[in-house]
């Protein structure tokens, strides 16, 4: 397997709106990020993935871009961006930008033109269709509720928006549009950025026949996903993008890809495919989704979670590359989701970090994960800001008459605002995030959970993450070692080995609140063992058989 810097890196995601506010308007900004570069350096990460900072009316917090080559007013100016890039590079940290080109904002100049008339030169930058007998062109539902088509009176046609109606889908069949996107990407790369995280990039090729989608359960709309996820022209488009832009730079690329499976993952990331470095798959974070997706979640099993992660580890073992993540700005906090955010809060946060970072792939840390931030449960829906959450609540409670308490519980479990409360820097008012009123309330647990506290405590979650990052830098086996799952059927223990040349590492993680008996499988032979990392002070006398404590994790080097 070829070596590459992006395989050896740890990426840290910043959601700028919630990271650090420098001017007291309650909204995080670029100057705020600059003040925390030393903190990130201390953590030891190699790359920052910056969620969108471009001009945007903020219907979807910057994932609706109205100008790809300017900075959002609330975040600062292009001069601030240049200062951030320089400041990061001076510290040896790279910056990867979010690239949102499945759709733009409806306030983008391209769309403003496009909707003017059917013969406007920008008309075909977007996907316009006439209605079908007074109905939208297809029955597809939008990811954020309602139909995915919006009627526009001016020209008596509908435009497609897989996300909100302020996020019209760009028409990738149009070569002029594609060239405009490549030009914009090149402009950023010439500025010196180090790559792109590509928003829902496997949605850009649609089935040109536009068939209706299947209607599941009590849904009003059809599921069009199979007609736009991993569509017919997707590989051609990505190969073209690679040839025209990416191949000319030494960059990190990661495609966000809901609905991608391992076979497709190989096509997107295979070494000779000339598409992307890695993808964000969703199978493991969707574990336990019910018939209504994440809002009807059910209990999950460790065997399912391990099964999915292992399938990806094996699938991309020799060709392609994995991204490793528990969290991002769309997911609930991992310590609340797969760990234990009460009694075993710290133990489980460290165990989850170990379990993820010791697998093969590039790990991603989402802001606040390194200090153990948890989910939040605001009492009133009025305290929520995410449009997906608000639309779902409105539809469920006001249109379908569902029990508001039940709906709130689903939001507490899986809502996106769990990830978007401000980073808790210290125990002063608003957790030190802003001197003004934060755009979304701070998690009330900031007095106990905050960066200041974990920085001071050498045994904290923060220092544990630091060690994990360090281990990767000092041991090739962590990056390139072969992965093998052990104890496949255990519902309590996630155990695997990594192997490189004559070295083997054993990683043991307990997902249980109880004591669990561990037995070392016979096939593991070794002469000497050395504990590399663990989250309890003492270590078992022998590893042949012992009792794992609640959420215990152990990493052994066996030779
Ligand atoms: C995926 C992004 O991660 C999410 O935050 C956004 O709402 C959608 N794509 C639409 O851009």
């Amino acid at each position: 397997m070829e070596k590459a810097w992006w395989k050896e890196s740890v990426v840290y995601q910043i959601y700028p709106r919630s990271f650090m506010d420098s001017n007291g308007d309650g909204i995080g900004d670029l100057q705020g990020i600059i003040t925390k570069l030393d903190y990130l350096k201390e953590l030891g990460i190699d790359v920052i993935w910056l969620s969108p900072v471009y001009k945007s009316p903020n219907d979807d917090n910057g994932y609706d871009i109205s100008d790809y080559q300017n900075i959002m007013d609330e975040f600062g100016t292009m001069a601030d961006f240049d200062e951030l890039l320089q400041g990061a590079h001076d510290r040896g940290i790279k910056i990867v930008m979010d690239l949102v080109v499945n759709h733009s904002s409806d306030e983008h100049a391209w769309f403003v033109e496009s909707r003017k008339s059917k013969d406007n030169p920008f008309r075909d930058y977007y996907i316009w269709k006439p209605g079908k007998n007074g109905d939208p062109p297809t029955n597809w539902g939008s990811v954020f509720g309602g139909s995915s088509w919006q009627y526009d009176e001016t020209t008596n046609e509908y435009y497609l928006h897989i996300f909100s109606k302020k996020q019209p889908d760009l028409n990738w069949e149009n070569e002029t549009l594609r060239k405009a996107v490549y030009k914009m990407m090149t402009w950023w790369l010439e500025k010196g950025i180090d790559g792109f995280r590509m928003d829902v990039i496997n949605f850009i090729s649609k089935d040109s026949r536009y068939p209706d989608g299947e209607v599941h359960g009590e849904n009003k709309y059809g599921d069009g996903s199979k007609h736009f996820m991993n569509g017919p022209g997707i590989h051609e488009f990505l190969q073209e993008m690679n040839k025209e832009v990416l191949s000319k730079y030494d960059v990190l690329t990661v495609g966000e890809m809901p609905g991608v499976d391992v076979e497709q993952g190989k096509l997107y990331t295979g070494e000779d495919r000339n598409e992307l470095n890695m993808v964000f798959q969703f199978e493991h974070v969707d574990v336990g989704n019910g018939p209504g997706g994440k809002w009807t979640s059910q209990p999950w099993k460790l065997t399912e979670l391990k099964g999915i992660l292992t399938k990806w580890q094996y699938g991309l073992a020799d060709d392609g590359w994995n991204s490793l993540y528990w969290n991002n700005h769309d997911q609930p906090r991992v310590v609340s989701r797969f760990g234990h955010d009460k009694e075993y809060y710290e133990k489980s946060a460290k165990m989850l970090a170990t379990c993820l970072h010791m697998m093969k792939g590039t790990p991603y840390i989402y802001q606040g994960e390194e200090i153990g931030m948890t989910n939040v449960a605001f009492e009133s829906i009025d305290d929520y800001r995410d449009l997906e959450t608000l639309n779902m609540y409105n539809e469920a409670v006001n249109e379908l008459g569902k029990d508001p308490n039940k709906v709130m519980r689903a939001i507490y479990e899986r809502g996106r605002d769990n990830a978007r409360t401000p980073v808790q820097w210290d125990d002063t008012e608003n957790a030190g995030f802003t001197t003004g009123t934060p755009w979304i309330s701070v998690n009330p647990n900031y007095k106990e959970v905050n960066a200041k506290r974990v920085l001071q405590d050498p045994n904290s979650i923060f220092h544990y993450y630091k060690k994990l990052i360090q281990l990767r830098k000092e041991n090739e086996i962590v990056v390139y070692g072969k992965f093998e799952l052990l104890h496949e059927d255990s519902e309590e223990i996630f155990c695997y080995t990594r192997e490189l040349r004559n070295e083997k590492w054993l990683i043991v993680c307990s997902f249980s609140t109880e004591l669990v008996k561990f037995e070392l499988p016979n096939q593991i032979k070794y002469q000497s063992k050395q504990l590399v990392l663990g989250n309890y002070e003492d270590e078992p006398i022998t590893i042949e058989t012992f009792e794992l404590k609640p959420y215990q994790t152990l990493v052994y080097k066996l030779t």
Side-chain angles (χ1 to χ4, degrees):
M1 176 165 278
E2 274 181 41
K3 293 193 173 168
W5 65 264
W6 44 266
K7 293 181 180 171
E8 296 168 11
S9 294
V10 176
V11 185
Y12 184 94
Q13 184 193 352
I14 292 184
Y15 191 70
R17 209 175 180 75
S18 307
F19 190 67
M20 180 64 201
D21 174 23
S22 72
N23 63 358
D25 67 355
I27 296 172
D29 48 41
L30 298 178
Q31 283 297 334
I33 301 174
I34 292 170
T35 64
K36 297 296 180 190
L37 285 173
D38 286 330
Y39 167 85
L40 297 175
K41 176 87 193 147
E42 157 91 21
L43 180 58
I45 54 102
D46 307 279
V47 181
I48 292 171
W49 150 23
L50 204 55
S51 273
V53 294
Y54 316 97
K55 269 230 169 10
S56 162
N58 280 308
D59 187 50
D60 187 18
N61 287 353
Y63 281 92
D64 49 320
I65 297 169
S66 55
D67 182 347
Y68 289 101
Q69 283 165 240
N70 264 309
I71 301 294
M72 189 190 299
D73 291 333
E74 294 155 326
F75 290 174
T77 62
M78 195 56 85
D80 293 325
F81 178 83
D82 293 340
E83 193 184 329
L84 170 62
L85 186 62
Q86 190 60 50
H89 284 172
D90 288 347
R91 291 166 178 82
I93 297 173
K94 294 179 166 32
I95 294 195
V96 162
M97 302 285 281
D98 223 302
L99 180 76
V100 189
V101 289
N102 172 68
H103 45 270
S104 73
S105 161
D106 66 337
E107 296 182 33
H108 192 291
W110 294 341
F111 191 76
V112 173
E113 284 301 311
S114 182
R115 79 190 324 173
K116 279 186 182 160
S117 68
K118 287 187 187 169
D119 57 7
N120 188 285
F122 290 90
R123 183 67 171 181
D124 285 341
Y125 271 46
Y126 295 86
I127 300 168
W128 291 95
K129 301 256 174 253
K132 251 186 358 200
N133 315 319
D135 286 328
T138 70
N139 68 352
W140 303 355
S142 135
V143 174
F144 293 154
S147 165
S148 64
W149 296 94
Q150 176 67 25
Y151 177 69
D152 203 51
E153 252 179 11
T154 321
T155 53
N156 188 28
E157 282 194 332
Y158 292 79
Y159 65 84
L160 177 69
H161 61 89
I162 293 175
F163 295 89
S164 94
K165 62 172 188 267
K166 286 188 66 63
Q167 294 169 298
D169 279 54
L170 288 160
N171 177 17
W172 275 72
E173 299 298 329
N174 178 353
E175 194 186 344
T176 321
L177 171 270
R178 296 203 303 276
K179 291 220 162 111
V181 170
Y182 302 154
K183 199 170 151 204
M184 174 272 285
M185 291 171 71
T186 304
W187 185 85
W188 280 102
L189 290 164
E190 283 299 311
K191 212 180 217 322
I193 66 153
D194 305 285
F196 292 109
R197 172 270 185 187
M198 304 183 184
D199 193 68
V200 288
I201 200 68
N202 64 332
F203 287 16
I204 60 177
S205 165
K206 279 83 177 168
D207 179 341
S208 59
R209 295 166 300 175
Y210 285 88
D212 274 341
E214 243 177 87
V215 182
H216 304 298
E218 51 180 21
N219 286 348
K220 191 160 145 202
Y221 296 98
D223 172 7
S225 59
K226 92 166 187 240
H227 310 298
F228 59 75
M229 280 176 181
N230 311 305
I234 185 66
H235 296 291
E236 202 183 302
F237 292 154
L238 288 176
Q239 282 167 12
E240 182 185 78
M241 178 196 279
N242 187 296
K243 179 163 166 270
E244 299 297 324
V245 187
L246 305 172
S247 61
K248 301 177 181 160
Y249 303 86
D250 181 17
V251 289
L252 182 158
T253 55
V254 51
E256 187 208 23
M257 298 202 176
V260 70
D261 64 21
V262 177
E263 286 315 309
Q264 290 153 346
K266 279 192 207 170
L267 297 178
Y268 287 119
T269 69
E271 238 147 57
D272 300 328
R273 298 275 309 166
N274 299 320
E275 297 189 18
L276 301 174
N277 295 158
M278 53 194 138
V279 302
F280 287 134
Q281 56 85 16
F282 280 73
E283 294 183 320
H284 70 301
V285 289
D286 285 343
V287 71
N289 279 11
K294 70 177 182 181
W295 301 123
T296 52
S297 79
Q298 294 161 352
W300 56 277
K301 283 188 169 168
L302 184 60
T303 43
E304 289 174 75
L305 183 69
K306 287 195 295 192
I308 294 164
L309 291 169
T310 303
K311 186 176 69 178
W312 280 90
Q313 288 288 306
Y314 289 160
L316 304 189
D318 303 315
D319 192 21
W321 190 252
N322 272 299
S323 69
L324 306 170
Y325 77 97
W326 290 130
N327 276 126
N328 61 39
H329 63 290
D330 296 328
Q331 298 296 330
R333 293 281 178 182
V334 67
V335 66
S336 304
R337 175 100 200 270
F338 295 135
H340 192 284
D341 61 10
K342 311 243 152 31
E343 209 176 326
Y344 299 112
Y345 155 71
E346 195 186 311
K347 297 285 180 223
S348 67
K350 291 176 180 172
M351 180 283 288
L352 287 161
T354 315
C355 183
L356 192 80
H357 283 237
M358 290 294 117
M359 276 187 273
K360 187 172 177 184
T362 300
Y364 289 72
I365 301 172
Y366 178 67
Q367 64 183 36
E369 186 181 330
E370 77 285 8
I371 61 172
M373 282 179 66
T374 66
N375 279 355
V376 73
F378 296 131
E379 217 165 288
S380 158
I381 188 66
D382 299 337
D383 290 325
Y384 285 85
R385 299 286 175 265
D386 169 32
L387 94 161
E388 181 190 47
T389 302
L390 297 175
N391 289 353
M392 185 282 286
Y393 182 92
N394 190 33
E395 211 173 293
V397 176
N398 301 332
E399 287 172 29
L400 301 171
K402 298 214 165 130
D403 173 3
N405 293 323
K406 255 190 160 162
V407 176
M408 286 310 278
R409 275 207 298 280
I411 294 173
Y412 296 161
E413 229 180 274
R414 301 290 291 277
R416 304 200 296 181
D417 280 338
N418 282 310
R420 300 177 182 186
T421 61
V423 170
Q424 295 159 209
W425 294 107
D426 57 35
D427 59 3
T428 63
E429 207 186 344
N430 298 321
F433 162 72
T434 180
T435 52
T437 310
W439 69 277
I440 184 170
S441 300
V442 170
N443 190 321
N445 66 10
Y446 70 93
K447 294 226 183 270
E448 296 83 52
V449 179
N450 62 65
K452 187 171 171 211
R453 191 163 179 174
V454 292
L455 278 167
Q456 285 162 355
D457 171 6
N459 290 320
S460 68
I461 300 171
F462 179 92
H463 287 282
Y464 194 90
Y465 268 88
K466 241 180 108 166
K467 277 189 216 149
L468 279 170
I469 297 169
Q470 228 28 58
L471 279 181
R472 171 173 302 268
K473 298 208 190 318
E474 288 158 7
N475 301 276
E476 259 203 322
I477 189 172
V478 177
V479 181
Y480 297 107
K482 179 172 158 245
F483 169 99
E484 197 183 337
L485 183 74
L486 301 174
H487 292 302
E488 184 182 344
D489 299 326
S490 167
E491 290 296 359
E492 284 99 22
I493 303 171
F494 194 159
C495 175
Y496 57 88
T497 53
R498 300 291 304 280
E499 196 173 351
L500 189 71
R501 297 183 278 270
N502 42 21
E503 196 174 319
K504 193 173 235 170
W505 283 25
L506 173 75
I507 294 94
V508 187
C509 302
S510 166
F511 278 70
S512 175
T513 51
E514 311 289 324
L515 292 173
V516 190
K517 186 162 176 213
F518 177 83
E519 284 186 52
L520 189 69
N522 287 334
Q523 80 246 39
I524 307 289
K525 311 269 183 247
Y526 66 96
Q527 246 119 60
S528 69
K529 66 169 171 45
Q530 182 200 333
L531 183 69
V532 180
L533 193 66
N535 62 348
Y536 278 80
E537 265 167 34
D538 46 339
E539 68 170 297
I541 301 165
T542 134
I543 57 168
E544 272 50 52
T545 166
F546 66 94
E547 285 208 316
L548 272 169
K549 298 181 175 139
Y551 293 102
Q552 184 164 21
T553 183
L554 295 155
V555 178
Y556 280 101
K557 181 175 172 174
L558 306 176
T559 40

